[in-house]
Amino acid sequence: MVGTVTVRTFGFRELEQKLRQLPNRTRKAVLVRTLRKAAPMVVNVLRANAPRGLTGHLAASPAAGTKLTRHQAAQDAGTVKSTAQLNIGIAADGTTGVTQYAALTEFYNRGTTGWFTRGWESTRGLALEVIKVELAAAIDKSLARGSGARG
């Protein structure tokens, strides 16, 4: 299931203006590198919070990546497109049924917030702060290197 989360942020407007000074290709690379730096803290909390179950496979399955499966891409079609996107979710290995078990433990636990939601909610503020700090540094570094020359 692909879901969209909207978060109100502060301090990104100035970063966006600086980011526009970079060529599109450099802009996307800077954004993806920055997102990859923030992802491990979220993934580690998700892994720590995951139910162990009988096999423990679910605890190893949270992952971050820039590619969607065909099924995820079809679900994502029609949503707002962005310059860069990093997805955090359950990586299916094709044999263990991990994604189905993840959905059951997240959405069918009768009235409690699921482990994945709790993991995201506990780390999103820190993850966004890391993104803001890392993005500012990466933009400044790219501009200093001369990547800002548009032509």
Side-chain angles (χ1 to χ4, degrees), residues 22-112:
L22 299 173
N24 287 342
R25 189 173 180 175
T26 304
R27 183 182 315 156
K28 183 172 183 175
V30 164
L31 287 169
V32 170
R33 272 195 310 270
T34 301
L35 292 172
R36 285 187 189 274
K37 287 182 180 180
M41 77 178 74
V42 177
V43 170
N44 290 339
V45 168
L46 293 175
R47 287 180 178 169
N49 289 345
R52 295 298 181 250
L54 297 174
T55 64
H57 290 323
L58 187 57
S61 67
T66 57
K67 303 290 184 210
L68 295 174
T69 65
R70 277 188 300 206
H71 178 71
Q72 291 167 330
Q75 286 181 321
D76 198 34
T79 61
V80 175
K81 297 300 175 201
S82 59
T83 303
Q85 181 173 323
L86 186 81
N87 305 291
I88 297 176
I90 303 302
D93 66 4
T95 59
T96 60
V98 169
T99 54
Q100 292 87 352
Y101 182 61
L104 285 172
T105 60
E106 178 69 13
F107 301 111
Y108 298 102
N109 51 4
R110 307 232 183 243
T112 62

Side-chain angles (χ1 to χ4, degrees), residues 8-21 132 135-136 139:
R8 173 169 256 148
T9 59
F10 301 95
F12 283 90
R13 184 166 290 143
E14 296 82 10
L15 289 175
E16 187 176 351
Q17 290 169 350
K18 288 174 86 174
L19 196 58
R20 286 188 186 138
Q21 296 174 23
K132 188 176 3 177
L135 185 57
I139 292 169

